[in-house]
């Protein structure tokens, strides 16, 4: 079955929406670049035309002769887009002013960081991120009676090593509107637990999480992007999907890195659904998000996460999940 066909079939199901969208994107192959024309130097004595002027020189000359100056708008300010980078103790994030959601949020967890139980979420409070200009900021009131959870991208449970670190995760720039029952409080929470359990197999785990706004095939056969916006007036976009890109590091300088990319729909997911059903090629997440995650990682160091460990969630009650971190089962 072709990837495009798989996308069309799977798009009819919310639970399979991640695979559909990823397959749709991964099926779009870039056209092959034309091969350079081979030339040879002539030994004839006939004169040859002068080479064209360098592109930069032509551009400068054209601007000098142009009757207009489009870049003059910069005297009033740079329109953007501007990515509000937020480096905090427990996370680093880039904020998307258009959707009022983070574009990505990165975290780093280790066995030592998860073993520290200093922070307590009962002392943390949701807050607006005042480092973002007010007109582009997500507001607490936007979530009021919206029907959506304030969904952590970096979970508070990953930042218990200090109260300040945990507090960092409660800023709205680390939040996206997430479906509560069946997703944020259930399958997504199990997925976060899976990420923590990876530290029993890898001494260093890095995770990048963020929202996606993926197209869906409508009855007329056309693909469209449609999402809700919460707030009054409407302010925060509700993502259709969420991704996680996971880096399992072996702890050696220049060592191997196990890569895993997952896309989940922002919808209730049956607890029996295998996590590996949501595994997608890293390139699919990159094309869908417009982000680049591993351009500096040589292919020789890359390993596939789900070939090294069992990519599966453990469905347990929330209180039980906090009591222990069971070991990962290695792939045989």
């Amino acid at each position: 079955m072709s990837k495009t066909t798989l996308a069309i079939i799977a798009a009819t199901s919310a639970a399979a929406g991640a695979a559909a969208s990823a397959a749709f994107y991964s099926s779009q192959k870039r056209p092959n670049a034309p091969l350079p024309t081979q030339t040879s130097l002539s030994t004839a004595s006939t004169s040859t035309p002068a080479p064209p002027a360098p592109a930069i020189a032509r551009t400068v000359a054209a601007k000098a002769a142009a009757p207009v100056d489009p870049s003059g708008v910069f005297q009033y300010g740079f329109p953007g887009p501007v990515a509000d980078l937020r480096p905090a103790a427990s996370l680093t994030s880039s904020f998307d002013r258009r959707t009022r959601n983070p574009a990505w949020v990165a975290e780093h967890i280790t066995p030592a960081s998860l073993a520290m139980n200093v922070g307590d979420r009962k002392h943390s409070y949701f807050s607006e991120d005042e480092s973002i200009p007010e007109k582009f900021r997500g507001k607490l009131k936007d979530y009021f009676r919206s029907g959506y959870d304030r969904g952590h991208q970096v979970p508070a449970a990953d930042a218990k090593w200090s109260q300040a670190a945990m507090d960092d995760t409660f800023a709205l720039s680390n939040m996206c509107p997430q479906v509560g029952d069946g997703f944020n409080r259930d399958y997504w929470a199990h997925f976060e637990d899976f990420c923590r359990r990876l530290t029993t197999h890898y001494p260093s785990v890095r995770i990048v999480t963020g929202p996606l706004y993926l197209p869906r095939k409508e009855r007329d056969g056309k693909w469209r992007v449609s999402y809700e916006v919460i707030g009054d007036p409407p302010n925060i976009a509700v993502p259709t999907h969420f991704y996680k890109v996971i880096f399992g590091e072996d702890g050696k300088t220049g060592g191997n890195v196990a890569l895993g990319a997952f896309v989940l729909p922002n919808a209730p997911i049956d607890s029996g659904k295998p996590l590996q059903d949501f595994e997608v090629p890293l390139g699919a997440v990159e094309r869908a998000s417009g982000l680049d995650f591993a351009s500096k990682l040589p292919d020789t160091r890359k390993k596939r996460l789900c070939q090294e460990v069992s990519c599966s969630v453990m469905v347990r009650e929330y209180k039980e999940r906090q009591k222990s971190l069971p070991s990962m089962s290695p792939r045989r």
Side-chain angles (χ1 to χ4, degrees):
M1 182 184 295
S2 70
K3 292 181 178 179
T4 302
T5 303
L6 176 62
I8 295 173
I9 295 174
T12 61
S13 165
S21 302
F24 169 73
Y25 279 104
S26 60
S27 67
Q28 313 302 307
K29 296 183 178 179
R30 297 179 180 177
N32 293 328
L35 295 175
T37 304
Q38 293 184 347
T39 59
S40 60
L41 293 176
S42 174
T43 58
S45 60
T46 55
S47 61
T48 57
I56 295 178
R58 291 197 305 271
T59 301
V60 171
K63 286 188 67 175
V68 296
D69 177 20
S71 297
V73 72
F74 295 153
Q75 66 183 300
Y76 307 117
F78 177 66
V82 174
D84 296 280
L85 191 65
R86 181 192 177 212
S90 54
L91 59 88
T92 297
S93 65
S94 178
F95 190 76
D96 183 348
R97 293 181 173 186
R98 183 178 61 87
T99 63
R100 315 296 198 260
N101 286 319
W104 55 265
V105 189
E107 60 172 313
H108 182 210
I109 55 176
T110 67
S113 72
L114 294 179
M116 301 171 69
N117 288 286
V118 178
D120 190 332
R121 65 181 299 143
K122 72 181 181 181
H123 300 307
S124 298
Y125 302 93
F126 290 99
S127 62
E128 297 175 10
D129 189 338
E130 296 184 355
S131 69
I132 298 168
E134 194 274 338
K135 64 181 177 181
F136 300 124
R137 192 184 307 162
K139 310 288 177 42
L140 290 169
K141 66 179 182 179
D142 294 329
Y143 283 90
F144 182 66
R145 293 182 177 176
S146 69
Y148 292 95
D149 285 1
R150 294 167 289 198
H152 284 71
Q153 301 302 280
V154 169
D158 291 1
K160 294 190 293 184
W161 49 270
S162 84
Q163 188 61 50
M166 179 168 285
D167 292 345
D168 286 339
T169 70
F170 279 80
L172 289 190
S173 56
N174 182 46
M175 306 288 163
C176 290
Q178 288 186 325
V179 170
D181 290 337
F183 187 64
N184 180 49
R185 305 170 206 168
D186 297 289
Y187 202 94
W188 185 255
H190 306 323
F191 187 19
E192 293 171 336
D193 177 67
F194 161 79
C195 294
R196 285 188 285 273
R197 288 188 288 116
L198 285 172
T199 59
T200 65
H201 193 86
Y202 302 101
S204 173
V205 177
R206 301 183 189 276
I207 308 160
V208 183
T209 306
L212 293 173
Y213 310 86
L214 300 185
R216 183 175 60 181
K217 195 170 187 180
E218 303 290 354
R219 293 182 180 180
D220 60 4
K222 297 180 179 180
W223 295 81
R224 294 183 176 88
V225 177
S226 177
Y227 53 83
E228 185 179 349
V229 182
I230 62 172
D232 185 15
N235 193 41
I236 303 178
V238 179
T240 64
H241 296 73
F242 290 92
Y243 69 83
K244 279 188 183 290
V245 175
I246 303 171
F247 303 79
E249 302 171 341
D250 65 9
K252 302 174 183 177
T253 302
N256 293 330
V257 179
L259 280 173
F262 302 84
V263 173
L264 283 66
N266 189 10
I269 301 175
D270 186 273
S271 60
K273 186 78 170 173
L275 176 60
Q276 206 159 340
D277 284 2
F278 300 107
E279 183 189 17
V280 299
L282 178 61
V285 178
E286 291 178 328
R287 285 189 291 275
S289 64
L291 305 173
D292 201 350
F293 295 99
S295 60
K296 294 185 178 181
L297 180 64
D299 290 341
T300 54
R301 295 176 56 197
K302 294 178 182 177
K303 301 293 181 181
R304 182 184 164 197
L305 180 70
C306 292
Q307 287 181 338
E308 295 209 330
V309 301
S310 175
C311 287
S312 59
V313 297
M314 296 184 66
V315 180
R316 295 181 295 164
E317 293 298 324
Y318 179 80
K319 291 182 179 179
E320 286 298 315
R321 291 200 306 271
Q322 307 308 306
K323 289 181 180 179
S324 62
L325 294 172
S327 299
M328 297 296 300
S329 300
R331 280 288 189 189
R332 299 297 183 186

